[in-house]
Amino acid sequence: NAGVTQTPKFQVLKTGQSMTLQCAQDMNHEYMSWYRQDPGMGLRLIHYSVGAGITDQGEVPNGYNVSRSTTEDFPLRLLSAAPSQTSVYFCASSFGGYTGELFFGEGSRLTVL
Amino acid sequence: AQSVTQPDIHITVSEGASLELRCNYSYGATPYLFWYVQSPGQGLQLLLKYFSGDTLVQGIKGFEAEFKRSQSSFNLRKPSVHWSDAAEYFCAVGPNFGNEKLTFGTGTRLTIIP
């Protein structure tokens, strides 16, 4: 019972490099989202998706791209990493409709030098 | 716009003592309210939620929370804490429609001392 799986768990990038954080869920959830967690700022929503082929921006979308080609996967792309994107990133999913229960991955810690 | 304030950044309590974590929200309509817990190095886990009805809601691990509309608060309580309750606790508010677009507070870190 994998739940929400994020890879990689740790990553160090240089400024200007690109990378993709992977997120996969095996619960057939319609809703998926990406948050970043920074000290003293809680979790802030980056992008979310209410189903395959549908994505929308959250509170802090700049510098990030997403796509949702399948129900299971919701990758987060950093096209040109900046030190301000150093953070812990969490992927979360839920059944959709409205239950309020997000299921979180274990997080991906990204450092941009 | 919806927002959540958790005024306590860090709280320390003795094992066996009671606990109350504060949460105040701002939302234009009837909110959906949540408490999540994050253990070190882990993702967040739902403790409890309030949608409607009884304003005192019970959650997992012996936690409860009370919704007080007049005070715009949703404080989390536990009568007797255990060392395993040491974690970070997040209050969140969401719209009562559509999707799980939650707004989280900045969190309260709970330390338990013997």
Side-chain angles (χ1 to χ4, degrees):
Chain A
N1 190 7
V4 178
T5 302
Q6 290 183 233
T7 56
K9 286 186 167 31
F10 301 94
Q11 183 73 49
V12 179
L13 290 178
K14 295 181 179 178
T15 297
Q17 288 184 317
S18 63
M19 78 157 299
T20 299
L21 298 177
Q22 302 290 346
C23 176
Q25 52 89 10
D26 61 358
M27 297 173 282
N28 201 31
H29 285 172
E30 290 295 322
Y31 181 86
M32 296 186 74
S33 55
W34 277 102
Y35 285 86
R36 60 178 288 173
Q37 183 178 28
D38 302 291
M41 304 194 74
L43 281 82
R44 292 180 291 168
L45 182 64
I46 304 171
H47 285 285
Y48 66 97
S49 168
V50 297
I54 305 170
T55 63
D56 205 347
Q57 296 181 349
E59 181 185 355
V60 288
N62 292 343
Y64 307 95
N65 281 351
V66 293
S67 60
R68 184 93 180 270
S69 57
T70 67
T71 298
E72 294 78 19
D73 301 299
F74 191 45
L76 179 72
R77 298 182 186 86
L78 286 71
L79 299 180
S80 179
S84 61
Q85 294 178 303
T86 294
S87 187
V88 180
Y89 292 86
F90 287 97
C91 180
S93 70
S94 77
F95 289 105
Y98 199 76
T99 67
E101 181 163 10
L102 291 173
F103 292 81
F104 283 82
E106 294 187 346
S108 298
R109 182 176 293 275
L110 175 66
T111 301
V112 183
L113 303 176
Chain B
Q2 58 200 44
S3 67
V4 176
T5 300
Q6 293 181 249
D8 303 306
I9 296 173
H10 184 204
I11 285 182
T12 300
V13 299
S14 299
E15 191 168 14
S18 63
L19 171 70
E20 183 169 27
L21 303 182
R22 295 183 290 165
C23 172
N24 293 98
Y25 68 88
S26 174
Y27 189 69
T30 301
Y32 284 5
L33 295 160
F34 312 86
W35 276 99
Y36 281 80
V37 60
Q38 183 182 30
S39 298
Q42 301 295 313
L44 281 71
Q45 179 186 20
L46 180 68
L47 276 178
L48 48 79
K49 60 187 178 185
Y50 171 78
F51 279 11
S52 65
D54 192 347
T55 56
L56 184 64
V57 294
Q58 303 296 321
I60 63 172
K61 305 185 181 187
F63 285 91
E64 66 178 26
E66 186 171 12
F67 170 59
K68 293 186 177 180
R69 186 188 301 275
S70 61
Q71 298 176 19
S72 297
S73 70
F74 189 57
N75 294 349
L76 182 71
R77 301 194 294 249
K78 187 169 185 178
S80 177
V81 298
H82 185 262
W83 64 267
S84 60
D85 293 324
E88 189 148 20
Y89 292 80
F90 292 90
C91 183
V93 63
N96 54 7
F97 61 90
N99 61 63
E100 323 282 24
K101 194 175 172 184
L102 303 186
T103 297
F104 286 84
T106 52
T108 297
R109 184 160 62 92
L110 176 65
T111 298
I112 309 294
I113 56 176

